[in-house]
Structure formats: structure tokens, C-alpha cells
Amino acid sequence: MKTIVIYNSQTGFTKRYAQWIAEASGADCFSLSEAKNKNIADYDAIIYGSWACAGGISKLGWFKNNIGKWADKKLIAFCVGGSPIDSPEIAPALNRNFNESELQKVSVFYCPGGFNYEKMSGPSKLMMKIFIKTLKAKKNKTEADDEMIKMISSSYDISDKKYIEPILKCLGK
């Protein structure tokens, strides 16, 4: 099966996962800007990966706008975020990015990445500072809130190659 992995990465975690998937599956791998100049119709499987931003998948519109013309393709989307794999918020957040008919056509996965404040854009850093400040100011903070504050207050990396296994299985690898 001829496969392409297309990624949108801000700080490198999504690119790392895209490269791991491509390497393990023998797929071609391109950034979103490079992929826009490729003949994607030549591929049997299309994998799109991007980073999580406030529960949304960054630049997902491009992928979603093409689902209809890729009806005969195996479609996979993955999202990379800073939450651990077992976070209960992940599944509902991922599913909010697709409507029911899209979810019947696209297999969706989550891969834990982390935060790299040194590589983050200015607006993203600002958004995270505001989010942390809001969490700290919360009156009835839960243990989960305190844990979140600790986790996202500095850069960290929880990415691991093992998290691509479900994607490879979906591909039949």
C-alpha cells in the first residue's frame, strides 16, 4: 500500500511522530506545505498529523476539505499533544474535530508529545501563560488542576515510539 504521511508541526513532536510512522511503514513523509505540491491521489493511504491546540487539531481544515475526494483511500489522522495517553479528555476532544460521517471515513489517534517552550511561537507561549495563570487563580482547584499546572509550567517530552503502534496496526503493518 503506497502511503504518505503529512504533518504540521510547531515544536517538533508531530514531525518526530510522522517520521517514526513513515520509517516503520515505508511511507513518504512531507510537511503540510510540501505535501500541497504533491499528487496525493497517487497514494492508497493518507495519514495527517498535527498538534493539539485547545482541544482542536491545528490546520485540520486542509485534511477535512479533501476527505470527499479521497473516498477510495485509507484515511488516518493523528494528533500530538501535551497530555498523557490515559487522559480522559483526549477521546472527546479528538472526536469534536470530526463530524459523524467523517469519523466513519477517518481513523483518529492521539500521540503524547510534550511542550517545548523554546520552539513555541510567541502567540502560543502567551496563550499557555494565560492558561497557567487562569488555572493558578482558580478558587476550587482540584488535584488534577495542580498536576496540570506542574506539568505545563516548563518544557517536557513524553513522546515514545510505542504510541505509533495503533496507527501501524490500522495500516496493516
Side-chain angles (χ1 to χ4, degrees), residues 29-102:
C29 186
F30 301 101
S31 69
L32 178 57
S33 59
E34 293 171 317
K36 288 179 177 179
N37 300 319
K38 303 289 178 193
N39 187 4
I40 296 172
D42 290 344
Y43 292 91
D44 304 306
I46 301 163
I47 302 172
Y48 177 73
S50 193
W51 50 281
C53 181
I57 301 174
S58 177
K59 304 229 176 159
L60 184 63
W62 172 84
F63 180 79
K64 288 177 66 164
N65 288 339
N66 288 293
I67 289 174
K69 72 179 183 185
W70 295 335
D72 62 332
K73 313 288 183 195
K74 179 165 214 56
L75 300 177
I76 297 172
F78 71 94
C79 176
V80 178
S83 296
I85 195 83
D86 57 358
S87 175
E89 294 90 30
I90 292 171
L94 284 179
N95 290 336
R96 279 192 302 271
N97 286 275
F98 295 93
N99 64 38
E100 281 300 315
S101 69
E102 291 165 340

Side-chain angles (χ1 to χ4, degrees), residues 107-162:
S107 299
V108 184
F109 299 90
Y110 176 78
C111 299
F115 280 93
N116 186 332
Y117 283 102
E118 294 75 29
K119 291 184 178 179
M120 237 181 237
S121 70
S124 291
K125 280 184 199 175
L126 180 62
M127 183 179 74
M128 289 308 302
K129 282 183 181 180
I130 292 168
F131 180 63
I132 292 167
K133 192 176 269 191
T134 303
L135 270 180
K136 285 180 176 179
K138 194 173 171 183
K139 288 190 189 227
N140 298 316
K141 274 196 293 278
T142 64
E143 197 174 304
D145 292 332
D146 286 332
E147 191 61 36
M148 174 74 81
I149 292 166
K150 265 194 273 183
M151 189 172 199
I152 65 175
S153 290
S154 60
S155 295
Y156 64 93
D157 182 350
I158 56 173
S159 61
D160 192 308
K161 221 178 210 179
K162 70 183 180 188

Side-chain angles (χ1 to χ4, degrees), residues 1-5 18 21-29 43 45 47 171:
M1 180 183 317
K2 189 172 179 189
T3 304
I4 186 170
V5 180
I21 294 164
E23 183 180 288
S25 66
D28 293 333
C29 186
Y43 292 91
I47 302 172
L171 271 177

